[in-house]
Amino acid sequence: MSRTRIKFCGLRRAEDVQAAIALGVDAVGFVLTRRSRRCVEPAQARELRSLLPPFVSAVALFMDDDLAWVADACALVQPDFVQFHGEESAAFAARCARPYLKAVPMASVSDVAAYVAQHPQARGFLLDSHAVGEAGGSGGAFDWARVPHSLARPLLLAGGLDAGNVGAAIALARPFAVDVSSGIESAPGIKDAARMQAFVAAVRQADAAPA
């Protein structure tokens, strides 16, 4: 049985981080771009990051932010991974000198393989439903049949996922991981414990189903 990794993104409260840990998620994301309604200041993200036990990764999300802001925030938060959600180039990512994930704006990108090839050093790619210039976390999904199966790179599926549809998404796309934000919220940046639990249960049920 394969295990789909789970990332909860846009966490802003200690109780939500602790709930994610108790549910056994693999990673939590802190949004550090100020254009987002889920943004946390670096000092707050550092406090939340300190709650994480070994083997639960911290991901810091940025979107077309200044290099100085990214560098200073990373120095304070010490994330395990940086997630670039905008039009950052591979050269920009390399200057940050941290393992990174790159979001793919599926509403604008038709050739995923070509987009991926532009970031040979990325550790993985987050396929999200947004268009170029838009933030994620909108709650909208894209056509999961568009997820390529021939790329030798870890793919993370995002965009409009919740407990009601993540099983179907996993069955069709077979991603390395799923990433959820609005699908486990009662309000932007406020996670709902019951929705978090239901999402994890749905992922585990999908993993247990015959391929």
Side-chain angles (χ1 to χ4, degrees):
M1 181 182 73
S2 62
R3 184 175 74 85
T4 306
R5 275 68 172 180
I6 300 173
K7 173 174 171 271
F8 283 175
C9 197
L11 277 69
R12 305 181 73 244
R13 306 187 303 171
E15 56 263 43
D16 294 338
V17 173
Q18 291 164 342
I21 294 167
L23 289 169
V25 305
D26 301 276
V28 297
F30 306 120
V31 178
L32 291 164
T33 184
R34 285 176 167 157
R35 69 179 64 195
S36 172
R37 54 188 175 175
R38 297 179 178 86
C39 178
V40 293
E41 291 297 317
Q44 182 182 358
R46 180 181 181 177
E47 292 181 6
L48 296 174
R49 195 255 185 277
S50 70
L51 301 175
L52 299 181
F55 311 121
V56 177
S57 297
V59 182
L61 186 151
F62 299 95
M63 182 178 177
D64 297 322
D65 294 291
D66 293 336
L67 180 62
W69 169 258
V70 175
D72 290 347
C74 285
L76 186 63
V77 179
Q78 293 293 309
D80 298 294
F81 296 92
V82 174
Q83 179 178 319
F84 290 118
H85 216 83
E87 297 183 64
E88 298 88 356
S89 66
F92 180 94
R95 293 179 67 187
C96 296
R98 286 185 177 272
Y100 78 97
L101 310 170
K102 185 68 182 72
V104 182
M106 295 297 286
S108 299
V109 172
S110 58
D111 190 338
V112 177
Y115 192 94
V116 165
Q118 297 175 27
H119 288 269
Q121 300 303 318
R123 299 294 183 89
F125 293 88
L126 182 90
L127 307 185
D128 206 344
S129 57
H130 68 289
V132 168
E134 296 178 350
S138 65
F142 66 93
D143 182 2
W144 301 318
R146 294 182 57 213
V147 175
H149 296 279
S150 58
L151 300 179
R153 313 291 291 278
L155 297 179
L156 295 73
L157 187 61
L161 297 177
D162 56 33
N165 65 16
V166 70
I170 290 171
L172 182 61
R174 294 295 171 187
F176 174 78
V178 289
D179 188 321
V180 62
S181 183
S182 62
I184 53 170
E185 289 181 336
S186 57
I190 306 299
K191 307 307 182 189
D192 179 272
R195 293 179 187 179
M196 295 164 78
Q197 184 175 13
F199 186 88
V200 172
V203 173
R204 299 304 174 226
Q205 182 177 4
D207 285 348

